[in-house]
Amino acid sequence: MTPDPETFTYRGRSLEELVPRIRQELGDDAVIVARRETTSGGVGGFFAKREIEVEVRPGESAGPRVAAAFAQQLAEAHERQQAPAYPEGAVRPATSPEIDALPGSADVTVDDLFPAPPRQAQGLAALFNAGMAPPPPVDGAEGHDAQGTEAPAPAPASEEPQADAAPRLPEVLDDDEYDELYDDDEDEPEAFAPSVPDAEIAPEREPEPVIAIEQSTGAFDYLGVGPTPAAVEPEAEAAAPAVEPEAQPEPAAAAPPAPSVVVAGLPPAAHAAAERLVARGLRSGLADAIAEEAVTGLAPLLPGADPKELVIDALARRIPMHPLRRGPGVVGFVGPGGAGKTRCVARLAAAHARHGVLPVTVVALRSPDGGAELRRLLAPYGVALHAVESGAEGAARIAGLRGEGLVIVDTPGVSPRSSGELRALGFELDALAPDELHLAVPATIGPAAAQELVGGVRELGVGALVLTHTDETEMLGTVVGLAIDSGLPLSYLARGQAVEAGLHPASAAELAKDLLP
């Protein structure tokens, strides 16, 4: 139960369930030193409940409560050891009642459990006879049908033959009998001829036109540039009387191509501005839509305005902006390794420590270097730093600061493709419960990688984007387009390596001007 004599083990569904109990038994200054996932209950490994197991070192304020907590954990361990392997109501792994009920079940074979199906007739006649009444008995097998089962006795023949009765054909004919009865392939049995008068027979429906599939004739036919397949007229229409040339209808005009996103009357300056946006990383479709909005939506209201300025205005209207934090609260930063989130934490903390009115505290969650880099960056500004190994430990440290000052949380780098890392980080963030969570996205990222990053970390509760490394490239349109497409607003812009003056609030107007200098 307790691998380390100085630690105690707690199990539950979540940390929120265990923290009150840990504080009550081991004191408010107890420290979680290990955490792992486990299961409990279930039958044979199935239907087990997922739980977490944490090891806690008691604080100095625990006192006599430690002995009571140790006794309670010993009692819980004894109960789990005495629990039956199969709880009441569980199905034991035994032979089914049907097999137990067989006589001499010790000698039961596969043939007893799975009897062979009844023998079926073979041949073409059996296929046509499926689902029909049993055929008459075959010569040489009196009392049995074609399948070998006993057939009912035939009805006695009538003493006087009925002359008016039509000769009955056998319900099922095999291949030899069919050839003997119909020597000529053109003869058909009269019994199968329809008895409906000719006047009541419905006329044949004209066949639907068949679409001919154009066969590939060249190396580039797979690109879809070949001729359009035409409809093949049915033979009935081919036999119809020819129409005079002057009476033939004119061929229908080809459908016009779909209009492009940009209107035909787009001024050259607006078109050049759209191309400039694409060159700065904005996707082509979004750039064209912004240019069209500038010409068709803004130009009529601002006659005589420069088309380039209209495109800048239209772009700025589309970029979502995140409101700045006001008052106390917990702000967290997440992102992949090397995205610059740790430096963003230091810059935001330094700015509020030097020019703000609220006390600032920084929490380094599972930092690989134990918070050494943050401690070095924050040393000139006197910001308190707490390096914690779990979200529960961090929540205990900032419990009294949440409503009085600004708490900024730095998190370990995660990969959007690692579901295990994302799940573990989400578990820790649930315990910390940040009021805001910002995702650091470097300006050097590609469009596909940016979409993958947002899709992977969105389940963490990310609510804003921080554009970092803005001094390393001019392709800011990738992250700007990411904010527009994903709906995640931009909060901060990070530039350079300096702590002071390295973080600025995002501005839609300034970003639009940077993309269209």
Side-chain angles (χ1 to χ4, degrees):
M1 172 59 63
T2 57
D4 188 348
E6 297 182 358
T7 62
F8 292 84
T9 304
Y10 289 84
R11 301 179 63 174
R13 299 300 300 275
S14 63
L15 275 179
E16 290 78 1
E17 175 185 339
L18 296 177
V19 167
R21 180 182 170 188
I22 294 173
R23 290 180 176 176
Q24 180 180 3
E25 296 179 359
L26 303 181
D28 295 337
D29 53 349
V31 179
I32 297 176
V33 297
R35 176 182 61 84
R36 52 187 170 270
E37 295 185 1
T38 182
T39 58
S40 65
V43 179
F46 296 94
F47 310 107
K49 297 186 298 183
R50 298 183 61 183
E51 294 183 343
I52 63 169
E53 187 176 87
V54 296
E55 295 182 12
V56 187
R57 180 181 295 112
E60 298 179 356
S61 62
R65 291 179 291 180
V66 174
F70 182 73
Q72 182 178 358
Q73 293 205 9
L74 287 179
E76 293 177 356
H78 182 71
E79 291 179 1
R80 284 196 295 270
Q81 293 176 356
Q82 298 298 327
Y86 294 94
E88 184 178 355
V91 181
R92 66 181 181 88
T95 311
S96 63
E98 292 80 1
I99 299 178
D100 291 340
L102 290 176
S105 58
D107 299 330
V108 175
T109 64
V110 176
D111 295 336
D112 297 329
L113 300 179
F114 306 98
R119 186 174 59 87
Q120 298 182 357
Q122 304 296 327
L124 182 62
L127 297 178
F128 284 96
N129 197 25
M132 301 176 61
V138 183
D139 296 341
E142 296 181 1
H144 293 76
D145 57 8
Q147 285 75 17
T149 58
E150 184 176 357
S158 177
E159 298 179 358
E160 297 181 0
Q162 298 180 2
D164 298 338
R168 298 184 57 188
L169 295 177
E171 296 183 4
V172 178
L173 298 179
D174 56 15
D175 297 343
D176 297 338
E177 293 174 347
Y178 191 92
D179 294 340
E180 294 177 2
L181 186 59
Y182 306 107
D183 295 334
D184 191 357
D185 295 341
E186 297 179 358
D187 297 335
E188 294 294 336
E190 297 181 359
F192 296 99
S195 59
V196 183
D198 296 341
E200 298 182 4
I201 297 178
E204 296 184 358
R205 297 180 58 184
E206 296 182 358
E208 299 291 339
V210 181
I211 303 300
I213 301 177
E214 185 73 17
Q215 300 294 335
S216 61
T217 58
F220 299 98
D221 290 346
Y222 67 94
L223 295 177
V225 297
T228 304
V232 178
E233 299 294 338
E235 296 181 359
E237 295 184 3
V243 183
E244 295 297 333
E246 58 274 11
Q248 292 181 356
E250 296 181 359
S260 60
V261 179
V262 181
V263 294
L266 190 65
H271 183 68
E275 293 181 348
R276 183 61 176 170
L277 292 177
V278 175
R280 288 298 183 93
L282 206 66
R283 60 182 179 86
S284 177
L286 180 59
D288 292 342
I290 292 173
E292 181 186 4
E293 180 180 343
V295 174
T296 61
L298 295 178
L301 302 177
L302 301 172
D306 185 5
K308 175 183 173 181
E309 297 297 331
L310 294 178
V311 174
I312 293 176
D313 191 359
L315 174 60
R317 293 174 181 273
R318 289 207 177 201
I319 302 176
M321 290 288 109
H322 189 271
L324 298 178
R325 182 70 189 176
R326 296 182 301 174
V330 179
V331 179
F333 287 82
V334 297
K341 55 181 178 51
T342 299
R343 197 165 290 269
C344 286
V345 171
R347 288 166 170 169
L348 185 61
H352 280 273
R354 174 156 295 187
H355 308 289
V357 295
L358 295 174
V360 183
T361 304
V362 173
V363 174
L365 174 62
R366 289 196 289 114
S367 177
D369 60 354
E373 182 183 1
L374 269 176
R375 188 173 289 104
R376 177 181 62 82
L377 295 175
L378 296 175
Y381 308 100
V383 177
L385 173 65
H386 300 284
V388 297
E389 293 298 325
S390 67
E393 181 183 357
R397 295 288 183 91
I398 65 175
L401 304 174
R402 183 180 295 270
E404 299 179 359
L406 182 64
V407 179
I408 308 175
V409 180
D410 186 25
T411 60
V414 292
S415 170
R417 293 187 176 184
S418 177
S419 57
E421 293 181 1
L422 293 172
R423 191 183 306 111
L425 181 57
F427 183 78
E428 307 293 354
L429 289 175
D430 289 342
L432 285 171
D435 300 302
E436 296 179 6
L437 194 60
H438 301 254
L439 172 62
V441 184
T444 54
I445 195 171
Q451 294 178 2
E452 184 180 17
L453 176 60
V454 170
V457 304
R458 193 127 195 197
E459 61 182 12
L460 299 178
V462 172
L465 302 179
V466 181
L467 181 54
T468 62
H469 301 298
T470 58
D471 58 319
E472 298 179 8
T473 181
E474 294 182 351
M475 304 288 289
L476 305 183
T478 300
V479 181
V480 172
L482 179 67
I484 297 175
D485 294 335
S486 65
L488 290 175
L490 289 168
S491 56
Y492 301 102
L493 302 180
R495 181 181 182 87
Q497 297 296 322
V499 175
E500 290 191 41
L503 191 69
H504 299 275
S507 171
E510 293 181 1
L511 280 172
K513 291 180 179 179
D514 288 341
L515 293 178
L516 283 174

